[in-house]
Amino acid sequence: MSKVKLFSGENIPLEMHKVRIVQKLNLPPVEDRLAAMKEAGNNTFLLHNRDVFMDMLTDSGVNAMSDNQLAAMMMADDAYAGSETFNRLHSKLKEIFGMEFFLPAHQGRAAEHIIAKTFVKPGDVVAMNFHFTTTKAHITECGGRVEELVSDEGINTTSRCLFKGNMDLNKLTDCIARNQGHMAFIRMEAGTNLIGGQPVSLQNFRDVTKIAKDNGILTVLDASLLQDNLHFIKTREEACADMSIREITRAIADCFDIVYFSARKLGFARGGGICTRDAALSESMKELVPMFEGFLTYGGMSVREMEAITVGLEETMDEDIINQGPMFIEFMTNELVKRGIPVVTPAGGLGCHLNAREFLPQLNDHQYPAGALAAAIYIASGVRGMERGTLSEQREPDGTEPIAAMELVRLALPRRVFTLSQVMYAVDRIDWLFRNRHLIGGLRWVEEPKVLRFFFGRLEADGDWQERLASAFRRDFGDSL
Ligand SMILES: *Cc1c(COP(=O)(O)O)cnc(C)c1O
């Protein structure tokens, strides 16, 4: 796809696949969208999918599967213990990561649970480029603390830096010096989720893990979003231009003691697990698998999903398959930039990220601009995005609310799910919303859960701005949905 040039000189992401199974979508009228958003407590997680036109909430477990994945699912060897399906998955992981041991888990956070329980003691520090919601929740649950050491460019929303997920090496050496004897491990997240799917360079993986080794500190890679990161290393890191995706994958894995992943993202299916090349490390985590996940040859995953992951991992080694997501995201990001709409640049993986602080300068952080914008986008378009800002943070034990480094609305592009015309529809409605942004107000809590509050908390609008937004839509669009 990157190799095809158009006569017009235009640059559009050309799909190297065809669609063979489709699902009809429903776009409710704006009045119904307003009602649905209210009923969902202004939390896009609580919308019914039947009320959603484009589901851009996440890429988790909703990527389109390939013909080969579906075919493999039919061949699954169903057994509680010792299934051939598990052996095939294990062999594929060994082949691509070069790691001998694999502990299966039902999804990414289950792997995080096992790793945190095994290696984090009260008072420990886990250094990382940036936290992820579930990762941090498990570490703090074990009495540990997270230190984020991403480079300053990482939280600069508009930047030219090509590897905004990189860890700052000076911050790392300083963190190690301050926390001697209390460093549980160093965690690097490929395709850094909460700062806009921003990649880490191979050089940075090497530099960080070298410092860790010199200091005798365990290193852990969260490879959930590795696939987009592989594409960016291949296309943005000059020293890697001649490496194959397989070679890049192996070079990254070679840096780490432990690699874990959510197969809801990596491998385009549903599941997860932990890989390591060290028998003792594997042993130290092993007994938690049958206790919390399932027997060692399925770990909570269905055999069908394991077959799909095996094929999905192999397909991840194909540039034409993994570049589809980033190219669509780049296209959408560029279209929004052309219209003057504030988005995170350069375009990363996972999705397109709107900068809600700039989109809604009239709101302060305690009015939850990203949450308000996600609600407004749904009302204006039927597109479901996800708040990635202060609402996604957790209160401190004393009740104070940490303000997120970034207030983003993520519009995820699950791989191979949407067409370019659907992306243009989303761009058009966001453009309309941007011209009417003065109408958008804040949100306040109605029900606030203590842990991972963004998943099922409920909020209400400050005043009647949502009704006024829906009326403005009706005025401008007439009978149109
Ligand atoms: C999704 C995700 C996880 C958690 O995985 P689940 O399968 O959703 O439990 C962990 N880390 C990162 C970077 C993720 O994107």
Side-chain angles (χ1 to χ4, degrees), residues 279-298:
L281 276 181
S282 179
E283 282 301 313
S284 66
M285 295 181 273
K286 192 171 169 179
E287 64 185 34
L288 295 176
V289 176
M291 199 157 142
F292 291 103
E293 301 302 309
F295 188 64
L296 289 167
T297 56
Y298 71 92

Side-chain angles (χ1 to χ4, degrees), residues 107-109 112 132 134 189 193 222 224-225 262 264-265:
Q107 63 184 93
R109 71 199 67 186
E112 291 173 335
F132 182 68
T134 54
E189 183 179 313
N193 193 325
D222 180 344
S224 305
L225 304 181
S262 165
R264 299 180 66 83
K265 293 101 179 234

Side-chain angles (χ1 to χ4, degrees), residues 162-464:
L162 296 177
F163 291 102
K164 284 165 71 175
N166 281 359
M167 186 179 272
D168 184 318
L169 303 178
N170 291 326
K171 290 186 194 172
L172 176 61
T173 39
D174 172 65
C175 172
I176 293 172
R178 279 186 290 105
N179 297 295
Q180 294 282 349
H182 297 285
M183 297 283 292
F185 55 87
I186 293 171
R187 168 183 173 273
M188 288 296 283
E189 183 179 313
T192 327
N193 193 325
L194 296 189
I195 60 169
Q198 297 293 324
V200 178
S201 67
L202 176 59
Q203 191 58 49
N204 192 250
F205 282 131
R206 286 182 167 149
D207 294 341
V208 166
T209 50
K210 164 92 173 45
I211 293 172
K213 278 199 185 77
D214 292 346
N215 287 275
I217 302 167
L218 186 70
T219 53
V220 177
L221 172 71
D222 180 344
S224 305
L225 304 181
L226 181 66
Q227 134 187 359
D228 293 336
N229 205 128
L230 292 169
H231 164 80
F232 290 124
I233 288 177
K234 173 81 186 167
T235 54
R236 294 181 182 177
E237 191 166 354
E238 249 168 63
C240 303
D242 294 329
M243 292 170 79
S244 67
I245 297 294
R246 206 177 285 277
E247 285 164 345
I248 297 169
T249 306
R250 185 56 188 272
I252 295 171
D254 282 349
C255 297
F256 288 89
D257 299 311
I258 293 173
V259 173
Y260 77 88
F261 60 97
S262 165
R264 299 180 66 83
K265 293 101 179 234
L266 186 71
F268 314 102
R270 292 150 205 91
I274 306 168
C275 301
T276 165
R277 67 174 70 76
D278 183 285
L281 276 181
S282 179
E283 282 301 313
S284 66
M285 295 181 273
K286 192 171 169 179
E287 64 185 34
L288 295 176
V289 176
M291 199 157 142
F292 291 103
E293 301 302 309
F295 188 64
L296 289 167
T297 56
Y298 71 92
M301 288 183 276
S302 86
V303 281
R304 288 181 188 231
E305 294 295 341
M306 286 196 279
E307 289 288 356
I309 297 166
T310 305
V311 175
L313 287 170
E314 178 56 33
E315 291 178 348
T316 300
M317 299 295 107
D318 180 341
E319 262 183 275
D320 272 343
I321 288 182
I322 61 171
N323 66 10
Q324 196 271 343
M327 289 178 91
F328 259 62
I329 293 161
E330 187 181 12
F331 177 84
M332 182 169 180
T333 301
N334 290 344
E335 289 299 315
L336 292 167
V337 168
K338 272 190 222 162
R339 291 161 176 77
I341 297 163
V343 283
V344 173
T345 55
L350 217 176
C352 185
H353 293 75
L354 299 172
N355 179 358
R357 275 196 188 115
E358 261 185 54
F359 202 112
L360 301 174
Q362 68 269 34
L363 300 189
N364 70 51
D365 288 334
H366 293 286
Q367 293 176 293
Y368 308 120
L373 183 56
I377 289 171
Y378 173 74
I379 294 170
S381 64
V383 171
R384 159 156 72 173
M386 188 194 289
E387 192 270 0
R388 294 277 77 159
T390 298
L391 287 179
S392 297
E393 297 286 333
Q394 204 152 301
R395 283 190 195 268
E396 302 294 350
D398 69 1
T400 54
E401 183 169 51
I403 296 300
M406 290 177 162
E407 277 288 321
L408 306 179
V409 176
R410 177 176 87 195
L411 298 169
L413 278 143
R415 301 347 170 248
R416 300 182 287 187
V417 168
F418 297 122
T419 62
L420 217 51
S421 43
Q422 288 170 331
V423 169
M424 288 310 293
Y425 164 82
V427 167
D428 178 83
R429 288 297 190 258
I430 293 164
D431 191 16
W432 176 82
L433 197 58
F434 189 59
R435 310 293 143 201
N436 289 278
R437 61 191 180 279
H438 60 280
L439 291 174
I440 302 174
L443 298 177
R444 55 176 178 243
W445 284 108
V446 177
E447 281 173 45
E448 184 183 347
K450 283 220 161 43
V451 181
L452 296 170
R453 60 184 186 172
F454 63 93
F455 275 134
F456 46 93
R458 306 180 72 84
L459 300 102
E460 63 185 10
D462 279 331
D464 65 349

